[in-house]
Amino acid sequence: SGNDFSVTEFILLGLTQQPELQLTLFFLFLGIYVVTVVGNLGLIALIGLNPHLHTPMYYFLFNLSFIDLCYSCVISPRMLVSFVKENIISYVECMAQLFFFSFFVIDEYCILTLMAYVRYVAICKPLLYKITMSPQVCLMLTVCAYVMGFVGAMAHTGCMLRLNFCDGNIINHFMCDVSPLLQLSCTSTFINELVIFIVLLINITVPSLTLFISYTQILSSILRIRSTNARSKAFSTCSSHMITVCLFFGSASFIYFKPSPAGSLAQDKVSTIFNTIVGPMMNPFIYSLRNKDVHVALRL
């Protein structure tokens, strides 16, 4: 029957309720947010303006940085507010935050998986690389990734809109996430839990299998390379991506891939920080510090 306006706004408790930590955490996460925005904008500008980086690998890295920038902006400003005053968010704003957060997180799963596929083609099928990863194919794969994000976000948000929130309006989190919202509902959440399981099964299990198969083939091909320099270059190409995958998929799986969304919200908060705050900050550094192409592009 929908929300029936039984709750028109929510109160986000934030990361902690200890007053002595609030100001310190505010400046810490403000610094992280600024670094995240500057780092991802810088990488987007560098790839967009430098013709040498207009390749499939950097095309998907461009999209990854754009996604990281967007969903960091969806989460961090509200989190910062909770450190300095009572963080009240309207029902509509809460549902909008849930939608965009779900949209960009699912997009990140897809883009990281596509980046693994690009590396598989580059290392295992080098002669077919330009044909297999043509601009048209890259664009089509990217559109599919964003469509999957939109469908998943609509499923989560649509199911949340059907619930009544009459057990209070205090969300024990720094964002409008699925699990804490379900705990406030006074109507059945069975459909929501089923949708969560299906969406996560598709967007974590399938990409995880794709990543595993891709990197099994990549590792097999790398070990057959006789040249030490070529082998080292191949490992370097994959190492940055694997670090990002482990950080993002690991924290996301810990939070959401459960039979029931119930669990320790304190642990979920910590994992969500790695998933939504730390990861987007680190990605520009992970992909640029040891990347010779980026170093050359910066000198041009």
Side-chain angles (χ1 to χ4, degrees), residues 10-15 71-72 74-80 82 87 89 93-103 105 169-182 184 255-256 265 268-277:
F10 296 98
I11 298 174
L12 296 171
L13 291 184
L15 186 61
Y71 89 80
S72 179
V74 169
I75 303 303
S76 293
R78 275 289 174 185
M79 181 184 186
L80 292 171
S82 65
N87 191 3
I89 184 171
E93 289 175 323
C94 186
M95 294 301 109
Q97 186 186 56
L98 174 64
F99 172 83
F100 285 109
F101 170 70
S102 302
F103 174 70
V105 166
N169 67 335
I170 298 177
I171 299 176
N172 186 16
H173 213 297
F174 55 81
M175 58 174 284
C176 289
D177 201 0
V178 176
S179 296
L181 281 170
L182 291 184
L184 294 180
I255 301 167
Y256 299 115
L265 285 177
D268 285 356
K269 286 182 186 180
V270 175
S271 297
T272 305
I273 286 174
F274 280 97
N275 193 247
T276 63
I277 307 294

Side-chain angles (χ1 to χ4, degrees), residues 192-237:
N192 297 71
E193 294 180 28
L194 182 61
V195 168
I196 290 169
F197 185 78
I198 293 172
V199 171
L200 292 179
L201 189 68
I202 295 171
N203 291 292
I204 290 184
T205 305
V206 174
S208 295
L209 288 174
T210 304
L211 287 163
F212 177 77
I213 294 170
S214 296
Y215 273 103
T216 300
Q217 296 294 321
I218 288 170
L219 182 61
S220 176
S221 296
I222 290 175
L223 293 177
R224 289 198 298 268
I225 298 175
R226 295 183 179 181
S227 169
T228 304
N229 289 335
R231 190 184 304 160
S232 176
K233 184 178 180 181
F235 271 120
S236 178
T237 300

Side-chain angles (χ1 to χ4, degrees), residues 228-287:
T228 304
N229 289 335
R231 190 184 304 160
S232 176
K233 184 178 180 181
F235 271 120
S236 178
T237 300
C238 299
S239 60
S240 299
H241 182 253
M242 282 306 300
I243 293 171
T244 304
V245 167
C246 291
L247 178 65
F248 186 79
F249 275 70
S251 58
S253 299
F254 182 82
I255 301 167
Y256 299 115
F257 203 59
K258 305 172 184 176
S260 169
S264 171
L265 285 177
Q267 293 177 345
D268 285 356
K269 286 182 186 180
V270 175
S271 297
T272 305
I273 286 174
F274 280 97
N275 193 247
T276 63
I277 307 294
V278 177
M281 177 192 70
M282 291 180 62
N283 285 347
F285 298 101
I286 292 172
Y287 283 100

Side-chain angles (χ1 to χ4, degrees), residues 58-78:
Y58 291 101
Y59 170 79
F60 288 111
L61 180 56
F62 178 95
N63 280 276
L64 180 67
S65 293
F66 172 74
I67 291 167
D68 282 340
L69 175 66
C70 289
Y71 89 80
S72 179
C73 292
V74 169
I75 303 303
S76 293
R78 275 289 174 185

Side-chain angles (χ1 to χ4, degrees), residues 116-133:
Y117 177 69
V118 171
R119 282 156 175 77
Y120 161 75
V121 175
I123 294 173
C124 301
K125 310 284 184 181
L127 298 179
L128 300 175
Y129 181 71
K130 289 187 177 180
I131 298 174
T132 305
M133 300 310 301

Side-chain angles (χ1 to χ4, degrees), residues 31-43:
I32 292 174
Y33 180 54
V34 171
V35 171
T36 300
V37 171
V38 172
N40 283 288
L41 277 177
L43 198 54

